[in-house]
Amino acid sequence: MTEIVLVAGVDEVGRGPLAGPVVTAAVILDPDNPIHGLADSKKLTEKRRELLEPLIKEKALAWSLGRAEPVEIDELNILQASLLAMKRAVESLTITPQHVLVDGIHAPALNCSVTTVIKGDQSEPAIAAASILAKVARDREMVELEALYPGYGFAKHKGYPTKQHQQALLELGVTDIHRRSFSPVQMSLL
């Protein structure tokens, strides 16, 4: 009998926006309970992500979310904040993974072996599952932030630097959820 190696997939969402946290997820899938339809969250419709999210949470052996707040992004830089959020997600898992697969080329320092996988959200089901959980969580939060900060359009653009968002920055100013180290936000502070 071969021993099952517990592998967690990790991905992040929200490196490019001007506002809001960077959100990560870590997922350990159950090899005996596959989830059909997993794919890179960016290639799925919002409706499909919303349908897959509860399935992932139900069928995975373990899952967790991690995050880094705008103030941490400003203090550390977006890459280091993303790695911190990934570390938080992995360390919050209820089961300790033996190996971690991380989407991209950068990986956090963890207490287990780690492999980076370029476009891993397209080739590794656990990373795809993590990308879906992170995207759904961050998108929901940005919709909620729209109510707290009306006029910015967070529910629509999720904090990304659209023309509408940049115009709102000029007209309404910078909020405490904006990333002050990002140049479009810095320009609004001048």
Side-chain angles (χ1 to χ4, degrees), residues 58-123:
E58 177 189 322
K59 291 185 170 192
L61 294 174
W63 65 272
S64 65
L65 296 173
R67 59 189 289 128
E69 302 301 334
V71 67
E72 293 174 303
I73 293 167
D74 291 339
E75 288 172 6
L76 300 171
N77 77 39
I78 187 59
L79 172 60
Q80 293 306 313
S82 296
L83 295 175
L84 175 61
M86 288 178 185
K87 184 176 178 69
R88 288 172 173 163
V90 172
E91 290 176 348
S92 296
L93 286 166
T94 55
I95 298 172
T96 303
Q98 294 157 295
H99 188 70
V100 173
L101 299 173
V102 177
D103 184 49
I105 59 172
H106 300 283
L110 298 169
N111 291 327
C112 65
S113 59
V114 179
T115 302
T116 57
V117 183
I118 295 171
K119 296 187 178 179
D121 49 6
Q122 297 175 28
S123 62

Side-chain angles (χ1 to χ4, degrees), residues 144-154 168 172 175:
E144 291 169 9
L145 288 171
E146 173 72 17
L148 294 173
Y149 302 96
Y152 289 89
F154 294 136
L172 303 172
T175 70

Side-chain angles (χ1 to χ4, degrees), residues 137-166:
R138 188 178 190 286
D139 284 359
R140 283 183 186 152
E141 182 169 346
M142 295 310 292
V143 169
E144 291 169 9
L145 288 171
E146 173 72 17
L148 294 173
Y149 302 96
Y152 289 89
F154 294 136
K156 184 177 179 188
H157 57 64
K158 311 301 190 267
Y160 283 88
T162 62
K163 284 184 181 178
Q164 176 197 5
H165 189 182
Q166 293 185 57

